Amino acid sequence: MSTSSTVERAFAAALYADTDAALDTGASVLAADPASDVELARRGEEFVAAAWRRGWQPADVVRIVRRDLDDVHVRLVISSILEQRDGDREPRGARWAAQLDELAAEPHDLRADRFSRATATLELYRLLLRLPTIEPLDPPRTPVTAAAPQETRMLTRIRALLAKAEATGFPEEAEALSAKAQELMARHTIDEALLAARTHAKDAPGACRVGVEPPYETAKAVLLDAVAGANRCRAVWNDALCFSTVVGFEPDLEAVELLYTSLLVQATAAMTKAEAAQRAGGRKRTKTFRQSFLAAYAHRIGDRLASVAEEQVTATEGDLLPVLAARDVAVTDHLDRMFPETVTTRMRGITDEAGWHEGAAAADRAQVRGRRPLP
C-alpha cells in the first residue's frame, strides 16, 4: 500500500466526521505507517496554501488555531506554515514576511508518540479544511524591501516608549511616556503623508487584521474602532472570527496597532486595580464590573480621541489639509470595496454603575495626546 493511500484512508475516516471514533480510526491508520509522515506533512502545506487562497494570513490562522485547539496544534500549524513558505512563489509583502518571522521565533517542535501526533494533526487539518473564505487583504504593489533605517529607528523607539508606559506602576510616568510615543507617531504619519504627496508616490490604502479576543470583545472592538478613527483609518469587526480588519495607509496602520495594544494593556491593568478595590469593599460583581469598565473606557477614549483628531485638523498647515482629505476619501473607497455590506453593533450588558465610572475615570487618566496631537 502506498503512503498516499494511507493518508487518503486516514482522511476519509477522520476529516469529514466529528466523532472521536472516526478520529481514532484515522490516527491509527497513520500511526501504523511511518512512511506516510512525509506525505502527511505535504498535505498540511496544501491545507495552509488553501487557507491563503481563501484570504487568510499566517497570523490569522495561528490565532484561530490557538483559540479553538491546543498548544500541540499551534506548534503543528506553525511548522506547516514555515514549511509552506519555502515553496511559496506568491508576492506576499512586508507584513506577511514579518508575521512569518514572528512565527519562526515561536516554539514549533513537537515530541509525541505516533498516535498522539497523528491525532493532533488530523484535528488541525479538520479545522483548516473548514476555514471560511474571508475578505482578502490587498497584495503588495511593490516587492518586499527592507525598511529604511530611519523608519525602523522611529518605530522601535515608539514601541519601547509604549512598553515602558505599560510596565511602570507610576501613572505620571506612564502619561509622559505615552505622550512622547504619540508625539512621535503623529510626526511619523504626517511626515509620511507629506512625503508621498510631494514625491507623487503611488501610495494607496491597505489593510491589516487585529485580533479582538474574548472576553468583553465588543468593548475591545469599540476601543480599536476609536483608535482607528483617530489615526485616519477605519475598522470592521468580525465577531465570529475574533478579529477586526483595519483599513488605512501603512504608517497609520502601524500607529493603530501600537496604540490599540498599549491602551488595551493599560485598560486591563487599570481595571484589575479598580476591581481589587471594589472587592476589598465587599462587592463581588466581577464580570459585570469588568464589562462595564471596559465599555466605559472604550466610549470615553473614543470621545477623547475624536476631540484630538478634530483639533489636529484645525491646527494643520494648509498644504496638508488637501492631502488628508484625499486620504480620507481613498480609505473610505477602499473600505467600501472590501466590505460592501456592514452592520452597526451595540454594546450590551452594561449594568454596573461603579464599573462604568471607574472605566471612564481610567480613560480620562490615559494619555492620548502629547505636545503634538495624535492625527
Side-chain angles (χ1 to χ4, degrees):
M1 181 182 297
S2 70
T3 58
S4 178
S5 297
T6 299
V7 172
E8 290 295 345
R9 286 177 57 216
F11 283 5
L15 288 194
Y16 304 97
D18 291 323
T19 66
D20 290 339
L23 190 65
D24 289 346
T25 298
S28 298
V29 170
L30 293 172
D33 184 6
S36 67
D37 292 354
V38 173
E39 176 66 13
L40 186 64
R42 188 186 69 81
R43 297 296 184 91
E45 295 176 40
E46 290 181 351
F47 281 121
V48 166
W52 305 161
R53 292 192 294 272
R54 294 199 294 272
W56 294 77
Q57 295 203 350
D60 305 325
V61 170
V62 173
R63 187 185 307 117
I64 288 294
V65 173
R66 184 171 279 123
R67 183 193 72 174
D68 292 350
L69 298 174
D70 299 316
D71 180 66
V72 60
H73 306 93
V74 173
R75 290 173 179 255
L76 284 170
V77 78
I78 291 176
S79 180
S80 292
I81 289 171
L82 296 177
E83 289 294 331
Q84 191 273 339
R85 168 183 59 180
D86 296 336
D88 193 358
R89 297 293 179 263
E90 294 293 327
R92 298 298 187 182
R95 281 185 171 273
W96 190 290
Q99 291 176 29
L100 292 177
D101 289 342
E102 290 180 6
L103 294 181
E106 292 194 33
H108 52 274
D109 59 317
L110 180 62
R111 295 180 181 180
D113 61 84
R114 291 193 55 77
F115 181 81
S116 297
R117 185 185 183 101
T119 300
T121 300
L122 291 173
E123 288 172 329
L124 172 64
Y125 291 1
R126 274 181 177 178
L127 186 150
L128 296 178
L129 180 67
R130 298 170 188 181
L131 288 178
T133 298
I134 59 178
E135 297 80 9
L137 304 184
D138 280 350
R141 292 170 173 78
T142 57
V144 179
T145 57
Q150 182 178 1
E151 179 183 1
T152 300
R153 287 196 300 271
M154 177 73 79
L155 293 177
T156 299
R157 188 178 178 191
I158 290 171
R159 289 189 181 93
L161 288 168
L162 291 175
K164 290 180 180 178
E166 295 158 18
T168 182
F170 301 98
E172 294 80 6
E173 182 183 9
E175 289 182 5
L177 292 166
S178 297
K180 184 60 179 177
Q182 288 158 51
E183 177 184 342
L184 294 179
M185 280 191 285
R187 187 183 308 162
H188 178 56
T189 55
I190 288 176
D191 288 349
E192 289 288 331
L194 283 173
L195 179 63
R198 290 168 180 168
T199 60
H200 304 287
K202 294 182 179 180
D203 199 11
C208 68
R209 296 192 185 101
V210 178
V212 181
E213 303 287 349
Y216 320 118
E217 58 271 26
T218 304
K220 294 175 183 177
V222 171
L223 175 60
L224 176 56
D225 183 72
V227 174
N231 284 276
R232 318 198 76 84
C233 298
R234 302 280 298 278
V236 176
W237 178 38
N238 186 321
D239 58 336
L241 297 177
C242 298
F243 64 72
S244 286
T245 302
V246 183
V247 179
F249 287 84
E250 184 60 31
D252 303 323
L253 294 176
E254 293 168 338
V256 169
E257 290 180 295
L258 290 171
L259 183 55
Y260 168 71
T261 301
S262 181
L263 287 175
L264 188 57
V265 169
Q266 293 182 54
T268 302
M271 178 182 68
T272 301
K273 183 177 180 180
E275 182 186 40
Q278 290 288 320
R279 295 178 67 181
R283 306 179 71 175
K284 299 181 179 179
R285 296 177 294 170
T286 301
K287 183 176 181 179
T288 56
F289 180 88
R290 290 183 174 185
Q291 175 84 355
S292 300
F293 183 102
L294 288 177
Y297 187 94
H299 177 76
R300 182 60 181 144
I301 282 289
D303 287 345
R304 294 187 67 196
L305 290 175
S307 176
V308 169
E310 184 177 351
E311 291 176 11
Q312 173 67 27
V313 172
T314 302
T316 299
E317 298 178 359
D319 60 343
L320 182 58
L321 289 175
V323 175
L324 296 181
R327 287 193 161 214
D328 288 343
V329 172
V331 169
T332 300
D333 289 346
H334 192 81
L335 182 85
D336 291 342
R337 287 195 300 272
M338 286 189 69
F339 302 97
E341 297 181 5
T342 59
V343 295
T344 302
T345 189
R346 289 185 177 183
M347 287 187 289
R348 303 182 185 278
I350 312 304
T351 59
D352 192 299
E353 182 178 0
W356 180 271
H357 287 306
E358 290 284 356
D364 286 335
R365 290 191 298 270
Q367 181 66 38
V368 298
R369 61 199 294 177
R371 289 187 294 273
R372 294 181 58 173
L374 181 71

